[in-house]
Amino acid sequence: MTGPSRRSLLIGGAGAALVGAFGTLDGLPALAGPPDVRPRRGGPLSTDVQWITGYDTTAYVTYMHQNGYFHGCRYFVYRKALTLGGPNLLHVYDTVMQTSFQVPDRAGHQMVGGYLDVSRATGLLLNAESPSAAKPETTRPRIWAYDLNEHVATGSSTWEQIYQVPEGATIADTTASINAAGTHIALSELYGKPAVPEIPGDQISKIVKVDIATGVREVLVERETLHNHVHFCPYDEDWIVFSREGDSTLHKERVWAHHPVHAPAGANVVPQILASGQVLRLSHERASWDAPTVVVINYENPRGVWRGFLDGSEPEQLATGRFEHCDVSRDGRYVVTDTSLTGSAMCIQVIDTTGQFPITTVVPQTNRGVSHPRHNHPIFSPDGRYVLFNDPDPDNVNTGGLRIGIVDLRAFGYPV
């Protein structure tokens, strides 16, 4: 890359001052600069994958645009059924002791939490009900919270209801996002099909922000299109990023965001028809930690990872490849992806967005099922040292076991 990138220009000035004032997120030490040599296999650390669960269960780490970690890098939350096809339960993995414990059910009710989210500062765990899980008490799904920091300190805590959707509403993807301080949640409420859907599957959506302490609900965006993947931008939480769902061959407005000043009605912030004439087909966006940007996958040829800008500027391509999903490191330099090989075979790769180092394959082969949760969905640990991912049983990628793997990036020469 030559000259300043669009991202470096955006993060300059006030953005740089913000980073300088607050330092690194969560009190974590800053990541070291890149090594002087190319990333390499071998060295003192093993490049083997550590499997924290096996194919005898179905286990799943949370989605890339949400957070499962608390206490810095020590603990992360994941979903696991104790037996194949059994009820889904929430568990916490202790990376120091390499042990796990189960989060208690809510009064004996199954807590489904594939798309859980955790407040980075307070350890408050969110869990949203599906309409079926809400019954028989109510048909209005609720959002519950559990204090993980209290559980670690005392051995227990209590589920508390923090929100319930209005009559006739459901919660998109049965998930909500919580901000870093644990004071607000954001979600997409769905109210059924519009009279004349623009695209099959469209629903009336309301992007909602709720004050946990007061219960005050604010409707930020209301449209007759299906919105999902709601999450606070960790760089500037006044930005709430969300997706426009539906057949991406029929619309070109995937990445949306709300900001009280810059996008008060919500805006499609990543143009998909470029000045060059190139047309993008975007999916799987994730807001960045270090700048007002997002990383997102383009599924049109040439396929690749792109960086979009919340000010609506044209996006820039970061890498080319058969990528499926992506997460971005907290320093913004690296992107991890699951990359299609052939059939259901996948691999996990790390991309240096500066272009200094080539794409590095850190897991040569994993597997992919047709539908959620049987996608790899790789994520970085907060310190950037590890990648976590899901791996379905190759003998039955669609209904068999599902395990969680961890790979140590330091074994490949990446900065500590």
Side-chain angles (χ1 to χ4, degrees), residues 168-188:
T170 61
I171 302 173
D173 232 359
T174 317
T175 186
S177 178
I178 190 166
N179 66 343
T183 59
H184 291 80
I185 64 172
L187 65 150
S188 175

Side-chain angles (χ1 to χ4, degrees), residues 117-310:
D117 202 18
V118 180
S119 162
R120 303 193 303 280
T122 68
L124 199 63
L125 165 66
L126 286 193
N127 187 260
E129 293 177 323
S130 66
S132 59
K135 296 174 182 177
E137 302 153 74
T138 178
T139 58
R140 297 163 53 201
R142 295 159 293 190
I143 295 174
W144 299 81
Y146 188 86
D147 190 333
L148 291 169
N149 282 346
E150 181 181 34
H151 185 115
V152 168
T154 68
S156 67
S157 187
T158 303
W159 284 103
E160 296 184 11
Q161 180 182 323
I162 59 173
Y163 182 65
Q164 185 171 26
V165 300
E167 193 68 43
T170 61
I171 302 173
D173 232 359
T174 317
T175 186
S177 178
I178 190 166
N179 66 343
T183 59
H184 291 80
I185 64 172
L187 65 150
S188 175
E189 296 176 348
L190 304 181
Y191 289 84
K193 296 180 180 180
V196 184
E198 180 182 344
I199 290 177
D202 268 347
Q203 293 200 44
I204 299 169
S205 304
K206 295 181 182 180
I207 304 299
V208 173
K209 183 178 180 181
V210 180
D211 185 314
I212 293 177
T214 65
V216 173
R217 168 183 177 268
E218 180 183 5
V219 178
L220 305 178
V221 179
E222 181 174 355
R223 299 180 74 241
E224 292 192 350
T225 52
L226 175 56
H227 289 298
N228 200 355
H229 288 196
V230 180
H231 59 294
F232 293 91
C233 174
Y235 174 78
D236 177 357
E237 291 189 336
D238 280 341
W239 285 103
I240 295 178
V241 176
F242 52 99
S243 64
R244 192 267 195 256
E245 296 289 319
D247 188 338
S248 58
T249 64
L250 300 179
H251 74 82
K252 295 294 178 285
E253 52 166 357
R254 167 73 186 197
V255 184
W256 280 69
H258 173 273
H259 188 280
V261 175
H262 304 301
N268 175 210
V269 292
V270 181
Q272 292 183 228
I273 302 176
L274 308 185
S276 65
Q278 183 177 1
V279 178
L280 307 180
R281 184 163 68 92
L282 301 181
S283 191
H284 301 296
E285 59 293 313
R286 204 278 180 245
S288 302
W289 301 82
D290 67 316
T293 62
V294 296
V295 289
V296 61
I297 302 294
N298 173 40
Y299 281 83
E300 288 291 346
N301 290 326
R303 289 176 60 170
V305 174
W306 287 66
R307 177 186 285 126
F309 304 94
L310 298 184

